[in-house]
């Protein structure tokens, strides 16, 4: 996804690459079916083409979390947050994973940050 510019309200405008989106669709289908290893491989293909794709980082983290590999999931959530520090869903998911690993207070803090960001964020606009 490439940034085209911002509006007066600081909304990000982006161009969606149809080839990348088709890989996302295939990977998402694998994730839904529980084929996490295949989904991770596909998300990593996206990362090879777009090394700063926070959405792909998040999807890898989500798969790892579903597989019970919480420590690695947290590493990938951090990568996603480096790419997009205002992603409410990543903050929320990271918080849920932290709580699964026994870090209740830190997890709650991340969840609250995610909710706060979600409540104040404008809707993104995309162009194909």
């Amino acid at each position: 996804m490439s940034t085209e510019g911002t509006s007066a309200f600081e909304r990000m405008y982006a161009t969606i690459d149809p080839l990348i989106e088709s890989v996302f669709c295939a990977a998402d289908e694998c994730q839904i079916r529980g084929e996490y290893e295949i989904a991770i491989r596909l998300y990593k293909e996206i990362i090879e083409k777009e090394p700063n794709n926070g959405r792909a980082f998040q999807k890898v983290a989500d798969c790892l979390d579903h597989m019970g590999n919480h420590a690695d999931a947290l590493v990938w959530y951090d990568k996603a947050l480096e790419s997009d520090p205002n992603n409410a869903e990543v903050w929320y998911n990271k918080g849920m994973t932290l709580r699964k690993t026994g870090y209740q207070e830190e997890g709650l803090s991340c969840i609250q940050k995610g909710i706060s960001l979600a409540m104040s964020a404008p809707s993104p606009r995309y162009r194909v």
Side-chain angles (χ1 to χ4, degrees):
M1 194 180 311
S2 64
T3 302
E4 285 187 9
T6 57
S7 72
F9 299 106
E10 296 301 316
R11 288 188 181 166
M12 181 180 292
Y13 288 83
T15 303
I16 295 174
D17 181 339
L19 296 175
I20 295 292
E21 289 306 309
S22 68
V23 178
F24 265 118
C25 286
D28 290 345
E29 287 178 19
C30 290
Q31 184 178 4
I32 289 167
R33 289 193 303 262
E35 298 169 348
Y36 300 119
E37 292 88 0
I38 297 169
I40 289 170
R41 182 178 48 80
L42 292 170
Y43 294 131
K44 287 182 177 181
E45 284 180 21
I46 294 167
I47 294 166
E48 287 177 19
K49 293 176 182 167
E50 292 184 352
N52 200 29
N53 191 311
R55 188 168 138 216
F57 291 142
Q58 176 189 354
K59 294 290 195 163
V60 170
D62 291 343
C63 287
L64 291 167
D65 183 58
H66 287 300
M67 295 169 67
N69 191 343
H70 305 302
D72 285 343
L74 290 169
V75 170
W76 284 89
Y77 284 131
D78 285 340
K79 289 180 182 185
L81 290 170
E82 285 176 23
S83 174
D84 182 5
N86 295 314
N87 186 316
E89 187 176 359
V90 175
W91 279 107
Y92 182 87
N93 291 356
K94 178 182 178 181
M96 294 300 291
T97 301
L98 283 165
R99 290 179 62 89
K100 291 175 191 175
T101 60
Y103 293 94
Q104 301 299 320
E105 292 303 315
E106 186 178 353
L108 181 58
S109 176
C110 289
I111 291 167
Q112 290 171 333
K113 180 162 182 140
I115 292 170
S116 175
L117 287 167
M119 298 301 290
S120 64
S123 299
R125 302 226 176 170
Y126 298 101
R127 295 184 183 141
V128 178

